[in-house]
Amino acid sequence: MGLDFISKAAKSFRKGLDQSRIDLGTPDLFTQRPDCEPRAYVARIRANAKLSPGEDLSVRFQDGNVVAQRGMDVVAEFDAPPSELVDALNDSYGEAYGTVQEVYEIANTAEIAVC
């Protein structure tokens, strides 16, 4: 009777363990997925440059400053960029992708989200 009980218990334990491994391998194990929001930084818009929300820009180093460019034209500059932005640019070889989030015409600044 004792040996019979152990063999029955061992089989059900293995099945449960195998099912748990399958559950762990499924991509929808978690009900909420973490969202990755890019950080937005404030940039001063250059004279005669017009930006609009949703516009894609290139963020890069130029002459020791961090600037945003549309094509080859510099349209905005980051005054005293945060160290995390500078580190991210260094990690991505000095080039990043940016999207204009908001434009503040009175202050002549724009929020640019950098990915």
Side-chain angles (χ1 to χ4, degrees):
M1 180 165 155
L3 184 60
D4 188 35
F5 174 75
I6 291 173
S7 63
K8 287 182 183 179
K11 287 181 184 175
S12 65
F13 177 74
R14 285 190 190 119
K15 287 181 185 176
L17 181 62
D18 289 342
Q19 183 60 39
S20 295
R21 286 189 351 203
I22 292 170
D23 290 342
L24 285 174
T26 57
D28 59 347
L29 176 65
F30 300 106
T31 57
Q32 294 180 339
R33 296 185 183 268
D35 293 329
C36 181
E37 291 287 326
R39 294 284 312 258
Y41 303 97
V42 177
R44 183 175 39 87
I45 301 173
R46 281 203 167 172
N48 300 327
K50 299 291 182 193
L51 297 178
S52 58
E55 184 176 1
D56 297 330
L57 300 173
S58 171
V59 178
R60 63 177 65 186
F61 289 116
Q62 185 180 53
D63 300 328
N65 298 324
V66 179
V67 298
Q69 291 183 322
R70 181 190 303 122
M72 297 300 291
D73 299 327
V74 176
V75 292
E77 295 180 19
F78 293 87
D79 294 329
S83 60
E84 61 187 16
L85 176 59
V86 174
D87 293 341
L89 284 173
N90 283 328
D91 291 343
S92 65
Y93 303 103
E95 182 79 26
Y97 173 80
T99 304
V100 178
Q101 299 292 316
E102 290 289 332
V103 177
Y104 304 104
E105 302 218 4
I106 295 174
N108 200 33
T109 58
E111 284 184 8
I112 301 175
V114 180
C115 297

